[in-house]
Amino acid sequence: GESVGLHLPTLSVQEGDNSIINCAYSNSASDYFIWYKQESGKGPQFIIDIRSNMDKRQGQRVTVLLNKTVKHLSLQIAATQPGDSAVYFCAENRLYRYYGQNFVFGPGTRLSVLP
Amino acid sequence: NAGVTQTPKFRILKIGQSMTLQCAQDMNHNYMYWYRQDPGMGLKLIYYSVGAGITDKGEVPNGYNVSRSTTEDFPLRLELAAPSQTSVYFCATKGRATSGYTFGSGTRLTVV
């Protein structure tokens, strides 16, 4: 079935470097995507979202890029800090019967920031 | 403002036992969701609700039941616990005007 997945399950970066986390999706009808951050022992937290009519969106130290041609999403974190260590999920919007939004989550990428 | 509150945080069940995972929210969000997260995996949708009195199955509903009698509460019921239900369970909410979900802190359930 259609799914959302990630290229790299783990990523280690030096503190201060930029991080790039990738995500592939297969549902070409998806029109809305969100990146979540999950710290150990906590629930996922919203980071940034992007709609399919955009190819780039910037937040504070984070940028999401969307390439609809190859169905690819990436999250870029500038000047990675120890507090960025977490698992990052991309999520794809999918509508259910009652029109409530549901997001399909990929398996996640663990980001480890090295001192 | 508590957001989304899940109880209990941890629970160990024996095979065949039943329990209810509680989820309460104070944000007046219409949409509520139950997800399970297995080790190294993404979140899988169990059940969801678009408002009081309306619930529907998600991707992995077998072995679970829900009810939504109020806007605030969305309990998840396990009737006959099985080892395959060992997981971390997350409740999430979403308002019509909000971009993403607000998650609770999770319930870690072990069935032995």
PDB file of all heavy atoms in Angstrom, chain B residues 1-5 24-29 93 102:
ATOM      1  N   ASN B   1      -3.308  25.340  31.822  1.00  0.00           N
ATOM      2  CA  ASN B   1      -3.756  24.698  30.590  1.00  0.00           C
ATOM      3  C   ASN B   1      -2.962  23.416  30.368  1.00  0.00           C
ATOM      4  O   ASN B   1      -1.801  23.433  30.019  1.00  0.00           O
ATOM      5  CB  ASN B   1      -3.537  25.649  29.428  1.00  0.00           C
ATOM      6  CG  ASN B   1      -4.264  25.178  28.180  1.00  0.00           C
ATOM      7  OD1 ASN B   1      -4.684  24.036  28.101  1.00  0.00           O
ATOM      8  ND2 ASN B   1      -4.423  26.044  27.217  1.00  0.00           N
ATOM      9  N   ALA B   2      -3.600  22.260  30.608  1.00  0.00           N
ATOM     10  CA  ALA B   2      -2.886  20.996  30.615  1.00  0.00           C
ATOM     11  C   ALA B   2      -2.659  20.456  29.209  1.00  0.00           C
ATOM     12  O   ALA B   2      -1.749  19.672  29.008  1.00  0.00           O
ATOM     13  CB  ALA B   2      -3.651  19.978  31.456  1.00  0.00           C
ATOM     14  N   GLY B   3      -3.486  20.797  28.216  1.00  0.00           N
ATOM     15  CA  GLY B   3      -3.321  20.241  26.874  1.00  0.00           C
ATOM     16  C   GLY B   3      -3.966  18.878  26.784  1.00  0.00           C
ATOM     17  O   GLY B   3      -5.160  18.721  26.993  1.00  0.00           O
ATOM     18  N   VAL B   4      -3.142  17.852  26.489  1.00  0.00           N
ATOM     19  CA  VAL B   4      -3.621  16.480  26.364  1.00  0.00           C
ATOM     20  C   VAL B   4      -3.018  15.662  27.502  1.00  0.00           C
ATOM     21  O   VAL B   4      -1.791  15.595  27.616  1.00  0.00           O
ATOM     22  CB  VAL B   4      -3.230  15.864  25.013  1.00  0.00           C
ATOM     23  CG1 VAL B   4      -3.769  14.437  24.912  1.00  0.00           C
ATOM     24  CG2 VAL B   4      -3.754  16.720  23.874  1.00  0.00           C
ATOM     25  N   THR B   5      -3.865  15.064  28.323  1.00  0.00           N
ATOM     26  CA  THR B   5      -3.413  14.300  29.480  1.00  0.00           C
ATOM     27  C   THR B   5      -3.752  12.834  29.294  1.00  0.00           C
ATOM     28  O   THR B   5      -4.917  12.480  29.075  1.00  0.00           O
ATOM     29  CB  THR B   5      -4.075  14.815  30.760  1.00  0.00           C
ATOM     30  OG1 THR B   5      -3.762  16.215  30.918  1.00  0.00           O
ATOM     31  CG2 THR B   5      -3.560  14.055  31.972  1.00  0.00           C
ATOM     32  N   ALA B  24      -7.643  12.858  28.047  1.00  0.00           N
ATOM     33  CA  ALA B  24      -8.479  14.027  28.296  1.00  0.00           C
ATOM     34  C   ALA B  24      -7.788  15.264  27.733  1.00  0.00           C
ATOM     35  O   ALA B  24      -6.575  15.400  27.832  1.00  0.00           O
ATOM     36  CB  ALA B  24      -8.721  14.201  29.791  1.00  0.00           C
ATOM     37  N   GLN B  25      -8.591  16.154  27.148  1.00  0.00           N
ATOM     38  CA  GLN B  25      -8.028  17.398  26.602  1.00  0.00           C
ATOM     39  C   GLN B  25      -8.885  18.588  27.027  1.00  0.00           C
ATOM     40  O   GLN B  25     -10.097  18.464  27.197  1.00  0.00           O
ATOM     41  CB  GLN B  25      -7.955  17.315  25.074  1.00  0.00           C
ATOM     42  CG  GLN B  25      -9.281  16.990  24.398  1.00  0.00           C
ATOM     43  CD  GLN B  25      -9.830  18.095  23.552  1.00  0.00           C
ATOM     44  OE1 GLN B  25      -9.403  19.248  23.621  1.00  0.00           O
ATOM     45  NE2 GLN B  25     -10.806  17.761  22.706  1.00  0.00           N
ATOM     46  N   ASP B  26      -8.219  19.725  27.184  1.00  0.00           N
ATOM     47  CA  ASP B  26      -8.919  20.930  27.628  1.00  0.00           C
ATOM     48  C   ASP B  26      -8.808  22.048  26.596  1.00  0.00           C
ATOM     49  O   ASP B  26      -8.894  23.233  26.934  1.00  0.00           O
ATOM     50  CB  ASP B  26      -8.380  21.378  28.991  1.00  0.00           C
ATOM     51  CG  ASP B  26      -6.899  21.721  28.973  1.00  0.00           C
ATOM     52  OD1 ASP B  26      -6.282  21.621  27.877  1.00  0.00           O
ATOM     53  OD2 ASP B  26      -6.357  22.059  30.031  1.00  0.00           O
ATOM     54  N   MET B  27      -8.576  21.680  25.350  1.00  0.00           N
ATOM     55  CA  MET B  27      -8.379  22.677  24.291  1.00  0.00           C
ATOM     56  C   MET B  27      -9.620  22.832  23.410  1.00  0.00           C
ATOM     57  O   MET B  27      -9.599  23.572  22.434  1.00  0.00           O
ATOM     58  CB  MET B  27      -7.176  22.278  23.437  1.00  0.00           C
ATOM     59  CG  MET B  27      -5.888  22.235  24.240  1.00  0.00           C
ATOM     60  SD  MET B  27      -4.500  21.593  23.292  1.00  0.00           S
ATOM     61  CE  MET B  27      -4.992  19.886  23.148  1.00  0.00           C
ATOM     62  N   ASN B  28     -10.664  22.080  23.723  1.00  0.00           N
ATOM     63  CA  ASN B  28     -11.901  22.139  22.950  1.00  0.00           C
ATOM     64  C   ASN B  28     -11.676  21.738  21.480  1.00  0.00           C
ATOM     65  O   ASN B  28     -12.343  22.251  20.578  1.00  0.00           O
ATOM     66  CB  ASN B  28     -12.540  23.534  23.023  1.00  0.00           C
ATOM     67  CG  ASN B  28     -14.025  23.480  22.710  1.00  0.00           C
ATOM     68  OD1 ASN B  28     -14.705  22.507  23.006  1.00  0.00           O
ATOM     69  ND2 ASN B  28     -14.528  24.533  22.091  1.00  0.00           N
ATOM     70  N   HIS B  29     -10.740  20.812  21.279  1.00  0.00           N
ATOM     71  CA  HIS B  29     -10.489  20.314  19.923  1.00  0.00           C
ATOM     72  C   HIS B  29     -11.532  19.271  19.550  1.00  0.00           C
ATOM     73  O   HIS B  29     -11.895  18.410  20.350  1.00  0.00           O
ATOM     74  CB  HIS B  29      -9.097  19.685  19.832  1.00  0.00           C
ATOM     75  CG  HIS B  29      -8.003  20.699  19.780  1.00  0.00           C
ATOM     76  ND1 HIS B  29      -6.666  20.351  19.803  1.00  0.00           N
ATOM     77  CD2 HIS B  29      -8.031  22.050  19.683  1.00  0.00           C
ATOM     78  CE1 HIS B  29      -5.925  21.449  19.720  1.00  0.00           C
ATOM     79  NE2 HIS B  29      -6.732  22.492  19.663  1.00  0.00           N
ATOM     80  N   THR B  93      -4.807  15.299  19.590  1.00  0.00           N
ATOM     81  CA  THR B  93      -5.981  16.103  19.260  1.00  0.00           C
ATOM     82  C   THR B  93      -5.624  17.103  18.169  1.00  0.00           C
ATOM     83  O   THR B  93      -4.451  17.409  17.934  1.00  0.00           O
ATOM     84  CB  THR B  93      -6.497  16.885  20.477  1.00  0.00           C
ATOM     85  OG1 THR B  93      -5.583  17.965  20.767  1.00  0.00           O
ATOM     86  CG2 THR B  93      -6.623  16.015  21.706  1.00  0.00           C
ATOM     87  N   THR B 102      -1.683  17.862  18.613  1.00  0.00           N
ATOM     88  CA  THR B 102      -1.101  18.012  19.927  1.00  0.00           C
ATOM     89  C   THR B 102      -1.141  16.627  20.566  1.00  0.00           C
ATOM     90  O   THR B 102      -2.220  16.044  20.701  1.00  0.00           O
ATOM     91  CB  THR B 102      -1.882  19.018  20.782  1.00  0.00           C
ATOM     92  OG1 THR B 102      -1.869  20.293  20.136  1.00  0.00           O
ATOM     93  CG2 THR B 102      -1.239  19.140  22.153  1.00  0.00           C
TER      94      THR B 102
END
